[in-house]
Amino acid sequence: MPADSTLIGRSVPRAAARRTVEGLGRYTDDLDAAGVAHVAFLRSPHAHARVLGMELDEARAAPGVIGVYTAADLAAVCAPWQTRLAALPAHVSPPQQALAGDIVRYQGEPVVAVLATSRRAAESALELAFVDFEDLEPAILPADIFEPAQGFDAAAWAPQLALDRQIAHGDAGAALEGAAHVVRHRFAFGRQTAVSLEGRAVRAEYDRRSGRLSVQQSHQAPFQMQQIYAELFGLPLGRVQVAAPDVGGAFGGKLHAFPDEIAAVALAVLTGRTVKFTADRLESFLADAHAREAQAEARLGVDDDGRILGMEIDFAAGLGAYSIYPRGSVGDALQAIQLAPAAYRVPSYAGRARAWFQNKAPVGAYRGVGQPIAFALMEQMLDLAAAACGLDPAEIRRRNYREAPDTPGPTETGVVLESFTTRACLDTLLAEMDYAGLRAEQAALRAKGVYRGIGLTSFVELTGVGAQLYGPQQVRVAAQETCRLSLEPDGTLTCRTSVTDQGQGTLGGLAQIVAETLGVAPHAVEMIAGDTAATPVGGGAWASRGMALGGEAALRASRGLAARLRAVAAPLLQCEEAALSFSDSGVEGPGGARLSFREIAETVAFRPYLLPGGTAPALEVTESFLPPDLPYLATNGVLAAHVEVSPDTGLTRVLGFWAVDDCGRIVNPMLVDGQIRGGVVQGIGAALFEECRYSADGQLLNGSLVDYRVPMAADMPDIVVRHIETPTHQSALGAKGVGEAGTVGALGAMWCAVNDALAPLGTTVRRQPFTPEHVLSRLHGLEEEFD
């Protein structure tokens, strides 16, 4: 791509890319003209119970009801499923069905489905359905979850311990024994959920004559769901179509197969009707994927100069009732212990991760998957070590950063880095935020009883993840991204991509790449995405892959199509191919002679006899991309938070936030900065507000937006974003990905900032979110570590 490109690196509005996929819409109260039926679910009110019997006749007789269905009914068309990970053979999740059978394992698990002519009619009929439950003792993790087996029902899972993984390098115990300073901290991370703007939704239609299943779904990975539906319903893959329209937010929460959505599709297959399900906000809190319920204890040893000698992390997590299908629920735990030391030289390291099944909603992917936890652990430990050594927090980081690798290679814990620019990111950040000035202001205000804190987090984000993650686990998830670029006979450009868009603006960025290469306006590129019947196979949207992988595929396809256009235009314009250039939707030769794309396309389609040999190359190119030499494309950066904590109210106010990120080549600065700022907002929300709170008997206590606090605009400071650009050598485009960077580092920056503010008061926060209640309890010595 030419160095003086005019579109790559510019902010082009998202609307510049035209889209051909329509949204799902929302449910209506009446059966629409297409005869769509609506399903609603009776969900378990218990965290753990046995189903003794059901009385469903009144519900079946209710107005508008088409049918009432149980697990046995759906089992006639839908097979059960079970999450298994080949590389973790001891990780065995219970088999799962679209509707629960004899045992329910979490509050909100669907038990009975009512299909009716409207959502209103289905919900009204649910009031007439009766299920007799025998309440069983729930397995809810105790205050200290490192050894909870004694509180578990042995009949619920076999085994209850879902994961026990250890990573070791050097002799961490000996290193800590010989360290001049050893610091220790315990952490508790609150369970969260994605709360995307648009809830989950699915619309399924099954044609009994052709045996074809068509599903529209608010999802991140349509090809994954095509595989799952084909397997569960015993259909050939080619007879299953899954379309994921322009989705209104996902954040990893729409990356899984959910039993209520599978039940809706099963009802379409069973009844031959078009069936629609839309999760409302209340049932989303119960039944969507949760994430990040965990505890950790860490020890870090340094010498008198503050250089790290050794580190130990003991990590434990709750996974929920099932390991979520098909990717599993162990990502938070595994990535927490592997990535914590990724940015630093840690000569000796030992990490252990355990995870337990429990009677709560299953844990799944949420923006960053374990990485926010990893860097919160590491950065807080560095701040404690800096205090022990009398060093500034920025200085101890600078002394311990790992050096940039000469060639791509793994760290001590196996994290593969191609480049590493955290020193440059830190220098840029400190200058941008006036770090020295803020420290001077902090000292002056402390003398007046005002407690402000500054927190830093250095991070490594794993982006553009390839087949090495799920392939060895034998999980059928496509990892490459593909672009099929066509010049239609009317001269329009159609870009079909495997990448899906949940509001990131990825399709607009891909349109920029095509437009720049072929000399057209971005709005002239017709973008088609999110449909297994219309687009090439690929992963969709996860692990910051849209531009890193999908963008490179689009660039390669654009260059391939450009070569074919030159081959056709050169003999028509009677010049060498090298003399041709692209502009204004056409090809221009010497002396101003030109052919429009339409003229070229019509010649190829309708008058190939005008070309040498009477034939022409197809004006369609398909290209796929995965990093050829690496398992993923790792980015890095540094974030900083500036907060004020009131010792009287326990409230934390965020005064400022800064981010410096190296995501490789930037295609669209507006979209990149938007991704970072959005991620930071989610990280601040996790730090201060968000938590799914459960009672001791497994009841969700705050299952609505009245009680589950999410960050508002008024809570947020100005978020300053700057960049270091180090293109990856794995692709011609050079983009690495950026979708999770803000979230990955924000929690750690906030944790360090709040504890920095509290340092003169002699206490630290240990439990996230840092609610006023937790802060005041720590200040007044009223709270045990994890009570």
Side-chain angles (χ1 to χ4, degrees):
M1 188 169 293
D4 61 346
S5 63
T6 57
L7 288 176
I8 304 302
R10 282 180 48 202
S11 295
V12 176
R14 298 177 187 179
R18 294 163 58 194
R19 300 166 188 180
T20 63
V21 182
E22 297 180 356
L24 288 174
R26 288 294 176 266
Y27 68 79
T28 57
D29 282 337
D30 300 311
L31 192 67
D32 59 33
V36 176
H38 298 265
V39 61
F41 296 97
L42 187 155
R43 298 177 182 274
S44 171
H46 304 281
H48 190 201
R50 180 176 289 106
V51 178
L52 299 179
M54 301 181 184
E55 296 178 10
L56 305 175
D57 289 343
E58 286 189 53
R60 291 188 176 101
V65 170
I66 297 167
V68 180
Y69 304 91
T70 66
D73 299 317
L74 299 193
V77 295
C78 180
W81 62 92
Q82 185 176 27
T83 301
R84 288 185 177 274
L85 304 174
L88 297 170
H91 181 69
V92 180
S93 179
Q96 202 170 356
Q97 303 177 86
L99 297 175
D102 297 334
I103 298 291
V104 293
R105 288 188 168 90
Y106 63 95
Q107 182 194 20
E109 187 169 10
V111 179
V112 175
V114 173
L115 192 65
T117 56
S118 70
R119 175 70 177 253
R120 178 179 298 171
E123 290 182 344
S124 296
L126 285 178
E127 299 293 327
L128 303 175
F130 174 76
V131 177
D132 187 11
F133 292 99
E134 178 189 2
D135 201 4
L136 303 175
E137 185 69 23
I140 303 300
L141 294 177
D144 185 340
I145 69 175
F146 289 101
E147 296 292 347
Q150 69 277 7
F152 276 56
D153 176 5
W157 295 277
Q160 291 80 41
L161 183 61
L163 176 74
D164 192 348
R165 189 80 161 179
Q166 298 186 51
I167 298 176
H169 175 80
D171 189 338
L176 291 170
E177 185 71 24
H181 305 279
V182 177
V183 293
R184 172 186 176 274
H185 197 71
R186 293 197 72 179
F187 302 78
F189 300 88
R191 175 178 277 245
Q192 297 172 243
T193 189
V195 199
S196 55
L197 184 64
E198 177 191 52
R200 293 183 294 109
V202 62
R203 183 182 187 273
E205 181 177 358
Y206 181 68
D207 187 332
R208 288 175 168 172
R209 292 171 298 177
S210 64
R212 294 188 175 275
L213 175 65
S214 299
V215 181
Q216 284 185 297
Q217 189 166 2
S218 184
H219 205 274
Q220 297 172 238
F223 283 98
Q224 169 192 293
M225 296 311 299
Q226 182 193 36
Q227 284 277 350
I228 288 171
Y229 291 138
E231 292 172 4
L232 294 184
F233 298 108
L235 298 171
L237 198 63
R239 294 187 183 180
V240 178
Q241 176 192 6
V242 178
D246 192 15
V247 175
F251 311 119
K254 297 176 182 175
L255 198 55
H256 314 294
F258 291 93
D260 47 16
E261 295 176 343
I262 292 173
V265 178
L267 288 171
V269 174
L270 183 66
T271 66
R273 293 177 178 267
T274 300
V275 175
K276 187 173 183 178
F277 166 65
T278 303
D280 64 34
R281 188 64 69 185
L282 297 178
E283 60 189 335
S284 290
F285 273 107
L286 289 172
D288 282 7
H290 292 182
R292 298 182 186 164
E293 180 182 3
Q295 291 180 18
E297 181 172 342
R299 292 198 303 156
L300 180 72
V302 298
D303 64 18
D304 282 324
D305 293 326
R307 289 184 171 81
I308 298 171
L309 299 177
M311 185 177 191
E312 291 180 343
I313 295 176
D314 196 4
F315 186 88
L319 300 189
Y322 302 92
S323 188
I324 205 160
Y325 195 71
R327 299 171 187 239
S329 298
V330 296
D332 278 341
L334 293 175
Q335 297 219 125
I337 62 168
Q338 183 180 30
L339 283 163
Y344 300 98
R345 297 187 307 273
V346 182
S348 296
Y349 175 76
R352 183 184 184 187
R354 283 169 285 178
W356 308 86
F357 289 120
Q358 57 184 158
N359 290 117
K360 293 183 181 179
V363 162
Y366 180 45
R367 199 171 188 174
V369 188
Q371 296 171 84
I373 294 174
F375 302 120
L377 291 171
M378 189 71 208
E379 300 298 316
Q380 179 59 74
M381 299 307 293
L382 280 172
D383 271 11
L384 294 174
C389 297
L391 288 174
D392 181 85
E395 179 58 27
I396 198 170
R397 286 162 172 80
R398 187 179 281 110
R399 292 186 184 187
N400 286 287
Y401 281 144
R402 64 175 64 253
E403 299 299 327
D406 295 328
T407 58
T411 68
E412 297 81 3
T413 60
V415 178
V416 179
L417 300 177
E418 179 189 16
S419 62
F420 194 70
T421 59
T422 310
R423 292 178 187 274
C425 291
L426 178 66
D427 291 341
T428 301
L429 180 100
L430 297 182
E432 186 67 38
M433 68 186 292
D434 185 17
Y435 181 77
L438 287 181
R439 284 297 184 195
E441 179 188 55
Q442 178 190 44
L445 289 173
R446 281 179 176 176
K448 300 177 181 179
V450 177
Y451 299 97
R452 292 186 174 179
I454 301 168
L456 303 172
T457 289
S458 305
F459 67 88
V460 172
E461 180 196 358
L462 304 188
T463 62
V465 176
Q468 292 92 328
L469 176 61
Y470 291 115
Q473 302 286 5
Q474 297 182 15
V475 175
R476 299 166 72 87
V477 171
Q480 80 281 2
E481 299 302 339
T482 308
C483 175
R484 184 184 304 136
L485 185 62
S486 308
L487 182 65
E488 310 295 347
D490 64 355
T492 60
L493 284 165
T494 301
C495 178
R496 295 172 173 85
T497 176
S498 61
V499 172
T500 58
D501 200 320
Q502 287 78 48
Q504 307 97 318
T506 307
L507 299 186
L510 299 183
Q512 281 183 254
I513 292 170
V514 174
E516 175 62 35
T517 307
L518 295 174
V520 302
H523 68 263
V525 182
E526 184 83 6
M527 298 299 302
I528 299 177
D531 189 340
T532 62
T535 62
V537 174
W542 51 278
S544 303
R545 64 198 311 100
M547 202 56 59
L549 304 188
E552 175 66 13
L555 177 59
R556 293 183 178 194
S558 300
R559 289 177 171 178
L561 183 59
R564 296 188 182 189
L565 290 172
R566 288 190 182 96
V568 173
L572 295 175
L573 294 176
Q574 299 184 10
C575 66
E576 297 294 325
E577 291 184 24
L580 299 174
S581 61
F582 295 94
S583 64
D584 298 325
S585 298
V587 180
E588 188 169 333
R594 64 177 281 113
L595 290 169
S596 70
F597 282 167
R598 179 164 189 158
E599 290 171 320
I600 294 173
E602 287 184 343
T603 299
V604 170
F606 309 123
R607 294 183 295 278
Y609 52 81
L610 297 177
L611 299 170
T615 61
L619 298 183
E620 180 175 280
V621 177
T622 299
E623 290 282 354
S624 295
F625 179 70
L626 273 177
D629 303 315
L630 300 176
Y632 39 72
L633 303 171
T635 73
N636 61 257
V638 182
L639 275 61
H642 185 211
V643 306
E644 182 177 312
V645 180
S646 168
D648 298 320
T649 65
L651 288 169
T652 299
R653 184 163 61 101
V654 189
L655 305 174
F657 208 101
W658 297 264
V660 178
D661 181 66
D662 185 348
C663 61
R665 191 176 191 190
I666 297 172
V667 173
N668 185 311
M670 180 176 69
L671 297 182
V672 168
D673 289 359
Q675 283 293 292
I676 292 175
R677 289 192 174 98
V680 166
V681 169
Q682 283 188 294
I684 293 174
L688 297 182
F689 311 123
E690 297 186 49
E691 182 180 17
C692 297
R693 298 195 306 272
Y694 278 82
S695 68
D697 58 355
Q699 297 292 304
L700 183 64
L701 300 176
N702 59 333
S704 76
L705 286 174
V706 174
D707 301 306
Y708 185 98
R709 175 88 152 82
V710 295
M712 306 289 187
D715 300 317
M716 293 301 108
D718 287 338
I719 301 171
V720 179
V721 179
R722 296 292 182 264
H723 300 281
I724 303 290
E725 283 193 66
T726 309
T728 176
H729 298 297
Q730 295 292 301
S731 68
L733 182 63
K736 298 178 183 176
V738 75
E740 296 167 321
T743 302
V744 162
L747 176 59
M750 287 294 297
W751 205 305
C752 293
V754 171
N755 279 342
D756 186 47
L758 294 175
L761 302 174
T763 192
T764 58
V765 293
R766 297 171 181 262
R767 181 194 299 275
Q768 161 265 323
F770 319 132
T771 61
E773 294 84 358
H774 178 55
V775 173
L776 291 175
S777 295
R778 296 295 297 167
L779 283 170
H780 296 288
L782 301 177
E783 186 181 71
E784 297 295 330
E785 283 188 321
F786 297 115
D787 62 357

